Structure formats: structure tokens, C-alpha cells
Amino acid sequence: MATIADGWAYLAPTDRPTSARAKAQSLQIGVQSTTRKPKASQDGQAETSIELRSSQAGPEDTTASNLEPPTAVNSPWSTPSRGTSTDYVTNPFVHRYGRRILNDPSLLYPLPVDLAELHRQTLRTEMLVNVNGAPFCSPFFKDSPPTKVLELACGSGFWSSICHDYFKSQGGCSKISFTGLDIAPLAPDLSLLGLDWQFVRHDVGEHPLPFREGEFDFIFIKDTSFCRAASEIQTASIEEYLQFLRPGGVLEVWESDYEFRTLLPHPSIPSKLSGVTERDIRQAEDTATYLISPSTAFAKSQNKFLQDYNTWVEAALEKRSFTATPCTMVSWAFTSVPDKCKRVGSRRVAIPFGEVRWEQEQEGIVGGIGNALKQNRNEPAPAAERQSNVEPRTLTEEQAALRRTALVTTIQFIESVEILLKKESGMRQDEWDRWWAGMTNDLIGQNGTFNGECLETGAWWCQKI
């Protein structure tokens, strides 16, 4: 079910118990309020200023009221100011620039950890569960659910809550225990909501992890590319996580790219030879998303604001040894340990940010997702059908809400890394405010992604040998 509130779309799925939505409320995941108000400039003209409000935001640093980028070498936010406690266990958070961040300046993690960012991550998780049709993509739990699940970089523990609900709806969660690990103590006591739950405070990038070898049946990892350097994702991460799985246990990783490209018109449907299943194709058709294969064609973003953003975010992340395209790194990592895992699979998806120009045009049978099942069954279309056109795509309310959520969470992400982007842009505050106002108006009000700009995301999984 799609819900539209104050012009912002979010997902309220009905394909799982409604208690999950109540859980989101009990986790106190609120809506970020972002407003921009005019202020008078010296020449009397109205300018646009930014005001960020979060229910967890504390007093702003008076020295940072103009959102000038910090000068710290490690932390993208700031080094501790005089009088700030260096006991990062007792005092894990500090407020900078109106956002709550991790207090330890040695951490490279570039995102805030306040309610606004938790809300963005929760919306993104909810959206991806809808896109993939379940809280996980690996096909190994149809008949035998796991008994011990580990969620790394769990944040608020929202995925564990959804996964618990999913298995409960399948009648198989009575013996499943969930463990969440994160450096930030954000997760509430989910046992109060009916989960067999344990939280462990630890940095996911610091190995070894505090678990026994072979302790878990299922390890799930989502959006951890800011927790360790890109080189470590590519060379070591998969093997390190596999040691905590029992033989036959499942590792699954979800990631999304931070650089946005344009999906070229009428992408072809991946064949079954590439591992795509009929369920994958049906799910893509139901959600109006596009499966990505090596033959899927992309171009650089044609939106001028996303072009600016891509340039800035790539430079900012590279300086901190991160990557703007973690999906590539994860794909490579899963092929680097063939002697330790088996039945490796993946599901890559492109989610357009809104209505797309070429979807509104009449399209031939080759480009239409609706004809994918016939193509993949190797059933030739009638000659008359091959020569004629089909009706343009019309999004359902649910499909439009899903795309809107992809756009909303992307804009929220841009806001979360605003300090980094502004530094790379070299803009003064008034210039940045005008850029931001133009960007939000273009993407939200003017459908500036009409050419096919999209969010690229993926899921990868394997079984331990």
C-alpha cells in the first residue's frame, strides 16, 4: 500500500504483519523535518538558508553555525572541542552542525547517527524489502529457516524486526534468535517486541568480531561500505565473515551505489542463463523496477544537479578511502573466495527516481518488462505482435510510491553528507543554499530525473562450504 503524506511518498506494505509498522513507531523512527526559510541579504534581496531539525539534535556549535567544513584529517565532521569527553564508550555521541554524530574522531564514518538519518535508513530498508519481495534474496530458507541470525551494522535493528515478522508469517520463527552488532548503541531492546534478541556493541570494521567460529546460520549485512575502506571490502571482508558461519550457513550482503547514472531506454531482460529466475522477473514487473545484467546500458546522469553531486561525492569519498560504487566491490568480493563458499548468487536492480520519458512512449516488445516471461520461456511472440507497439507504461500508486521513496531517501542522503559535498564544491554558504534550493525543486517539483536517472542496488549471497 502506498501512502502519500505532505507530498512525500513512503511505503506501508501490507504483505507482512502490520505489527512491523507499529514496531517502527516503537523504535521512535521519526520523520526528518527539513525546511528552508528566506533571510534578508545585505542588498535587501531574499536569500535561502537551511534549517535542519531533528528530534534528537542538540544545541548547535556556535562556531559551526555557517556549516563550514571541518578541518579534521580523519573525521569528516570535527575533532573534539575543548572540554569534550574522550570516553567514547560512555559518551558515544556529540552534536555538530545541528546533527548528532559519533564522538570518536578517529572514525571515518561520514554519516550522522540522529533520528533523521535513522529514518532515512529505515525508509530505504523498507523500500528494498518491497523491491526484493522479502527481507533476503537467498533461496536457501524456503523449507528450513535459520535458527541463529546475525545482523551486522544493525543500526536500529529494523531489519531484524522485519525478518522476524517474515519468518513468523511463514510459521517458522519460534526458534530463531537474532543478534545485532553496531558501534553505535541505537537499537532498543527488541525482546520487548517479541524477538529473541541480543545487541553487541562493536565496530564492524574491527576484526576479529566477538563471536565464536561457526556460531550463526545466517549473517546479513546492509550498507556497510562506510564502515571500512574500499580495498578491505574487495580483499578481506567476505572471508572474515564466513568464519562465523557454520558449514552450509548463508551470508547475504545488500549495497547501493552513491553515484547515480541514467538507465538507457528499453533495457533488455536478463536471460535465465545469467541466473535470473521467473520470480525475479515477476517481482521486477510488479514493482516497475529493472533487473541489471552485464548487458544493461547506462549513461552518465543528464541532470545537472546530479552531475554536480556525482563529482563532489566521488572526490569526497575517495579522500576517505571509500568508493561511490560499492556494488562493484561487493560483486568482486563474492568471486574471490571460490574455495570457501558455494551457490553464489546475486540480484541487481535499477530503481528509477520517478516517471521516465521513454516509459511514456510506445515501446516494442523487446523493451517491455511485461513481456519478459514470454521471452524467458523461449516462446516467440506472434508476428503481428512483434511488429506492433504496446501501450506506454502507467505506474500504479504503489509503484509510484516506491520510486518516490527512492528519490526521497536519496535527497536525504545528500543532506546527510552535506558537509562533505559543500567542501568539495568550494561554494560559499549563500551559493550552496541556492544550489540546494534549485536541486530540490528540480528533482521533486520538476521531475528532473525524467531521462531515467536511477538508484542502483544489489543483493549478493553464498553458502559456506
Side-chain angles (χ1 to χ4, degrees):
M1 174 182 176
T3 307
I4 309 296
D6 299 327
W8 297 86
Y10 64 95
L11 299 179
T14 56
D15 57 350
R16 59 181 178 81
T18 56
S19 60
R21 292 196 296 279
K23 288 181 179 183
Q25 296 173 356
S26 69
L27 298 180
Q28 295 183 338
I29 298 171
V31 177
Q32 174 180 6
S33 176
T34 304
T35 60
R36 291 179 176 270
K37 58 185 181 180
K39 65 179 180 180
S41 64
Q42 292 180 351
D43 59 4
Q45 298 295 320
E47 294 181 354
T48 302
S49 65
I50 181 171
E51 178 185 2
L52 302 181
R53 292 183 296 153
S54 169
S55 59
Q56 289 191 9
E60 291 192 34
D61 251 342
T62 56
T63 59
S65 59
N66 63 351
L67 287 180
E68 284 301 318
T71 58
V73 175
N74 291 329
S75 171
W77 294 90
S78 178
T79 54
S81 59
R82 184 176 301 176
T84 300
S85 172
T86 56
D87 183 357
Y88 305 130
V89 175
T90 305
N91 301 284
F93 307 118
V94 67
H95 289 88
R96 295 283 187 272
Y97 312 115
R99 305 298 297 264
R100 190 176 74 167
I101 63 173
L102 292 173
N103 195 7
D104 187 348
S106 67
L107 298 173
L108 294 177
Y109 188 71
L111 298 176
V113 287
D114 53 16
L115 199 61
E117 173 61 18
L118 286 178
H119 177 252
R120 182 194 71 82
Q121 294 178 12
T122 300
L123 278 179
R124 180 62 65 85
T125 300
E126 191 84 70
M127 180 195 71
L128 292 177
V129 169
N130 276 265
V131 167
N132 292 321
F136 51 86
C137 295
S138 51
F140 308 121
F141 300 125
K142 292 181 180 179
D143 302 320
S144 178
T147 58
K148 199 164 186 180
V149 179
L150 171 63
E151 180 187 1
L152 292 177
C154 66
S156 67
F158 187 67
W159 178 86
S160 289
S161 175
I162 291 179
C163 193
H164 170 268
D165 283 356
Y166 177 84
F167 283 119
K168 184 176 181 180
S169 69
Q170 305 296 312
C173 75
S174 59
K175 298 181 180 179
I176 302 177
S177 67
F178 290 86
T179 299
L181 178 144
D182 202 294
I183 193 173
L186 301 171
D189 185 1
L190 296 182
S191 63
L192 300 176
L193 302 176
L195 279 73
D196 183 351
W197 168 258
Q198 178 186 9
F199 175 77
V200 177
R201 187 175 176 185
H202 189 85
D203 185 356
V204 70
E206 182 180 335
H207 286 264
L209 298 179
F211 304 113
R212 301 186 306 275
E213 290 190 9
E215 185 172 348
F216 298 97
D217 305 297
F218 183 24
I219 297 178
F220 182 83
I221 309 169
K222 177 181 172 293
D223 295 336
T224 59
S225 58
F226 287 157
C227 298
R228 58 195 310 169
S231 59
E232 295 179 15
I233 297 175
Q234 198 169 13
T235 59
S237 58
I238 300 303
E239 186 171 359
E240 290 171 347
Y241 299 138
L242 285 174
Q243 66 178 307
F244 301 107
L245 284 171
R246 64 166 177 78
V250 177
L251 173 67
E252 182 159 338
V253 177
W254 287 11
E255 276 292 350
S256 300
D257 283 343
Y258 304 113
E259 183 178 333
F260 306 118
R261 300 187 293 178
T262 296
L263 182 66
L264 293 183
H266 315 314
S268 60
I269 308 301
S271 68
K272 289 186 176 180
L273 296 177
S274 63
V276 173
T277 66
E278 200 166 279
R279 178 191 176 279
D280 290 330
I281 298 171
R282 291 185 187 277
Q283 186 66 22
E285 180 181 357
D286 290 344
T287 57
T289 55
Y290 293 89
L291 297 173
I292 298 175
S293 71
S295 63
T296 304
F298 291 91
K300 292 184 177 180
S301 173
Q302 300 180 47
N303 181 279
K304 62 179 182 179
F305 294 102
L306 291 183
Q307 289 172 356
D308 290 341
Y309 159 81
N310 282 340
T311 299
W312 300 333
V313 78
E314 184 177 0
L317 296 182
E318 184 177 355
K319 288 178 180 178
R320 290 159 179 82
S321 300
F322 297 137
T323 176
T325 55
C327 290
T328 301
M329 297 293 187
V330 175
S331 294
W332 191 93
F334 268 84
T335 63
S336 64
V337 285
D339 58 328
K340 298 183 181 298
C341 61
K342 59 183 180 180
R343 301 179 69 182
V344 177
S346 64
R347 187 175 193 270
R348 296 288 311 281
V349 179
I351 310 170
F353 287 133
E355 292 185 346
V356 179
R357 170 183 49 79
W358 45 263
E359 288 180 329
Q360 309 306 310
E361 302 168 353
Q362 290 187 331
E363 56 183 348
I365 188 171
V366 174
I369 286 185
N371 298 290
L373 296 179
K374 182 180 294 185
Q375 292 179 24
N376 281 272
R377 293 193 187 108
N378 298 317
E379 299 175 10
E385 188 175 355
R386 288 199 301 268
Q387 296 172 2
S388 65
N389 291 325
V390 296
E391 291 298 319
R393 174 187 293 282
T394 300
L395 298 178
T396 66
E397 184 181 5
E398 290 80 4
Q399 293 167 346
L402 188 147
R403 292 189 179 187
R404 187 73 163 183
T405 305
L407 177 61
V408 168
T409 55
T410 294
I411 293 174
Q412 290 174 331
F413 173 79
I414 295 174
E415 186 172 59
S416 288
V417 294
E418 181 174 3
I419 301 299
L420 302 181
L421 300 180
K422 181 173 176 289
K423 181 178 181 180
E424 292 300 328
S425 73
M427 291 183 182
R428 301 189 308 270
Q429 186 61 46
D430 60 330
E431 293 174 325
W432 177 264
D433 288 340
R434 283 192 290 270
W435 182 88
W436 176 274
M439 182 268 294
T440 53
N441 178 66
D442 183 79
L443 297 184
I444 297 175
Q446 305 299 323
N447 193 17
T449 59
F450 198 54
N451 288 310
E453 282 81 1
C454 61
L455 172 68
E456 296 174 58
T457 185
W460 297 261
W461 59 86
C462 67
Q463 269 189 316
K464 181 179 178 180
I465 294 178

